[in-house]
Amino acid sequence: MPKRLGSTQKKILIILLGATSMAFTYSPFRQYKIMGEIVRELKKVKKENLKRSLNSLCDAGLVIKKVDKNGEIIFSLTKKGLNSIQKECIDEIVIKKSKKWDGKWRVVVFDIPENLRSARDSIRNYLNKIGFIKLQNSVFVYPLDCFDILSKIVEVYNVQDFIHFIVADSIDKEDKFKDYFKGIIA
């Protein structure tokens, strides 16, 4: 598998993911919207890169190529491909800011083993990126409700057994945290 996906490879996986999601959407409006997004992404793909990128994705096991009974070629996203595109898109996930802070602190504690170091580093980098403050190497604090999103990210990396989410009413040195998050909490 390639270390990082190229831009054309990423677009192809997103397109295949979109096509898959259309199959599970019953709303015609939602299907129309997804189709529009697929068409926009397809227009961004340079034709000369398409064949090479598809072959690379197939070789990496991220996409499978099948020929149907009519001789048409069909590309499908594999489970490995789905996992790969989810990891690639994690950086684009943002936590929605609430209008009023509920006064609770969200604490993330993890002890992810060394053999899963890349997952541990990715989660730590994501927590830093979205604005968590680090208490220790594997303990982070944030004021907004974010555990639903974080649970999905933890699931992508398959490290659910090594991470815990805590909601706390108070924390020592709270003024330091309130000052750090003053742009987020009201």
Side-chain angles (χ1 to χ4, degrees):
M1 184 174 113
K3 289 277 185 199
R4 294 290 285 178
L5 295 173
S7 63
T8 301
Q9 293 171 325
K10 188 174 178 180
K11 285 177 186 140
I12 291 168
L13 292 178
I14 289 170
I15 289 165
L16 291 172
L17 180 61
T20 303
S21 67
M22 275 185 60
F24 295 102
T25 303
Y26 297 109
S27 162
F29 175 76
R30 186 71 184 130
Q31 288 175 340
Y32 180 76
K33 188 173 179 180
I34 292 169
M35 183 57 80
E37 291 170 12
I38 290 172
V39 169
R40 275 191 296 283
E41 287 299 317
L42 268 173
K43 287 180 180 177
K44 294 177 188 175
V45 176
K46 293 180 180 176
K47 303 278 187 260
E48 60 270 11
N49 295 340
L50 188 59
K51 185 175 182 180
R52 184 174 30 88
S53 294
L54 278 167
N55 286 334
S56 175
L57 290 169
C58 287
D59 291 344
L62 303 177
V63 171
I64 55 172
K65 177 181 177 180
K66 294 180 184 174
V67 180
D68 72 4
K69 62 184 176 186
N70 298 325
E72 291 185 29
I73 298 171
I74 300 170
F75 292 95
S76 301
L77 196 60
T78 65
K79 186 172 183 166
K80 186 177 176 183
L82 174 63
N83 192 270
S84 179
I85 195 61
Q86 287 175 324
K87 287 178 182 176
E88 285 284 328
C89 293
I90 282 174
D91 287 341
E92 298 168 21
I93 298 172
V94 293
I95 294 175
K96 188 176 172 184
K97 308 292 187 238
S98 59
K99 292 180 181 164
K100 186 172 186 217
W101 182 44
D102 63 3
K104 299 191 184 296
W105 298 101
R106 278 59 182 194
V107 182
V108 177
V109 180
F110 56 91
D111 188 14
I112 300 171
E114 186 61 30
N115 65 326
L116 298 171
R117 180 186 197 124
S118 65
R120 181 181 65 212
D121 291 346
S122 294
I123 289 170
R124 185 178 289 126
N125 289 338
Y126 181 74
L127 293 173
N128 282 322
K129 178 192 161 275
I130 60 174
F132 273 76
I133 190 170
K134 181 169 82 168
L135 290 179
Q136 295 181 352
N137 274 344
S138 300
V139 181
F140 290 80
V141 175
Y142 196 69
L144 303 178
D145 187 11
C146 55
F147 290 161
D148 287 344
I149 291 169
L150 292 178
S151 293
K152 290 178 177 119
I153 292 168
V154 166
E155 192 175 315
V156 167
Y157 286 102
N158 197 25
V159 290
Q160 303 91 313
D161 293 341
F162 309 107
I163 194 161
H164 302 280
F165 302 131
I166 301 166
V167 178
D169 291 325
S170 65
I171 193 165
D172 68 331
K173 301 176 186 144
E174 193 167 274
D175 289 339
K176 170 184 156 186
F177 297 109
K178 285 181 179 178
D179 189 48
Y180 180 82
F181 291 113
K182 69 180 165 196
I184 295 176
I185 58 177

